[in-house]
Amino acid sequence: DGGITQSPKYLFRKEGQNVTLSCEQNLNHDAMYWYRQDPGQGLRLIYYSQIVNDFQKGDIAEGYSVSREKKESFPLTVTSAQKNPTAFYLCASSKERQSFNQPQHFGDGTRLSIL
Amino acid sequence: SQQGEEDPQALSIQEGENATMNCSYKTSINNLQWYRQNSGRGLVHLILIRSNEREKHSGRLRVTLDTSKKSSSLLITASRAADTASYFCATDAQSGYSTLTFGKGTMLLVSP
């Protein structure tokens, strides 16, 4: 079955440490997205990529970095510059880039906590 | 910035009752989508309604869109305990980008 796989499900970060969250999709989708979800805040867009080797900042990109070297993969690095990284991180994809009327497909998230 | 805002924040009903959630947004849109999220899981797409549509149905779901009031509603008829989840509306922007802006969600509890 096609879908989006996020790993790990739970992740702990020490002070000053960078951590990388994995997101892989086998839906052959062009566009991929990273969101952060805090309690009562809904989803906020961190980064998105509409095509391989290209990505754009979202609303809250500071302290995060991404790469898009392969169509299937869109890893997110939470750097030590992100002072409040504790949150639920969701990866999503949609079929076509810069196209309206596209539903997004989500992974089951990674919960990141500070040690 | 948050485009869509759902109302109410939380809703508690009995099985068999109908549940209505509302979403208001600020700027013109191409389409509006509704998603569902079970606790600790990712979001699941429920229904998409285009700006030139007024109503859309999918099974027990009915979505309306009033672009003059910049609002949408999601009606779940004959609710079941399995409908317990958070429901989010999401809007795009007419500026031409394919990103969505999500509201804060309505938490629905359906008791047996």
Side-chain angles (χ1 to χ4, degrees):
Chain A
D1 285 342
I4 298 182
T5 301
Q6 290 189 242
S7 62
K9 192 170 179 65
Y10 300 96
L11 187 58
F12 298 92
R13 195 191 91 168
K14 296 179 181 179
E15 291 288 337
Q17 186 180 47
N18 293 353
V19 291
T20 297
L21 284 61
S22 170
C23 177
E24 303 277 333
Q25 56 101 354
N26 61 3
L27 299 165
N28 199 32
H29 284 178
D30 283 326
M32 297 186 74
Y33 312 83
W34 273 106
Y35 295 93
R36 171 180 172 139
Q37 186 176 30
D38 295 280
Q41 292 290 322
L43 275 68
R44 291 183 289 170
L45 182 64
I46 305 172
Y47 268 99
Y48 64 101
S49 168
Q50 307 220 28
I51 197 168
V52 174
N53 292 324
D54 184 57
F55 48 82
Q56 307 293 329
K57 292 182 179 180
D59 298 322
I60 55 165
E62 186 174 349
Y64 300 96
S65 66
V66 293
S67 62
R68 186 88 187 275
E69 297 176 1
K70 299 186 298 181
K71 188 175 185 178
E72 313 82 63
S73 179
F74 191 40
L76 173 74
T77 296
V78 184
T79 74
S80 56
Q82 173 49 246
K83 297 306 179 189
N84 184 22
T86 297
F88 190 48
Y89 290 87
L90 287 161
C91 179
S93 70
S94 61
K95 187 174 182 182
E96 297 172 9
R97 61 189 177 101
Q98 282 209 316
S99 177
F100 305 124
N101 307 323
Q102 293 290 316
Q104 292 188 8
H105 301 256
F106 284 80
D108 270 342
T110 292
R111 192 166 297 278
L112 175 62
S113 302
I114 295 295
L115 281 177
Chain B
S1 59
Q2 217 88 31
Q3 163 80 306
E5 292 290 339
E6 291 89 345
D7 170 62
Q9 290 187 337
L11 181 60
S12 182
I13 60 174
Q14 299 291 121
E15 263 192 331
E17 295 180 339
N18 294 344
T20 299
M21 288 157 267
N22 302 297
C23 170
S24 59
Y25 57 92
K26 297 174 183 173
T27 62
S28 296
I29 60 172
N30 294 295
N31 67 69
L32 185 143
Q33 303 182 35
W34 283 92
Y35 288 80
R36 164 195 171 126
Q37 183 181 34
N38 285 51
S39 182
R41 303 293 299 274
L43 277 69
V44 175
H45 181 259
L46 294 176
I47 199 163
L48 181 152
I49 186 165
R50 300 168 198 255
S51 59
N52 62 354
E53 296 176 314
R54 292 295 166 259
E55 188 171 313
K56 203 161 182 179
H57 296 254
S58 176
R60 293 184 295 113
L61 305 180
R62 172 178 169 252
V63 168
T64 62
L65 179 64
D66 186 336
T67 53
S68 66
K69 295 181 180 178
K70 291 187 170 61
S71 68
S72 173
S73 68
L74 170 66
L75 168 68
I76 304 174
T77 60
S79 295
R80 305 166 183 169
D83 294 328
T84 294
S86 292
Y87 293 82
F88 295 87
C89 69
T91 54
D92 64 0
Q94 281 194 336
S95 63
Y97 295 102
S98 61
T99 59
L100 296 176
T101 302
F102 288 81
K104 295 182 180 181
T106 291
M107 193 178 304
L108 173 65
L109 173 63
V110 183
S111 301

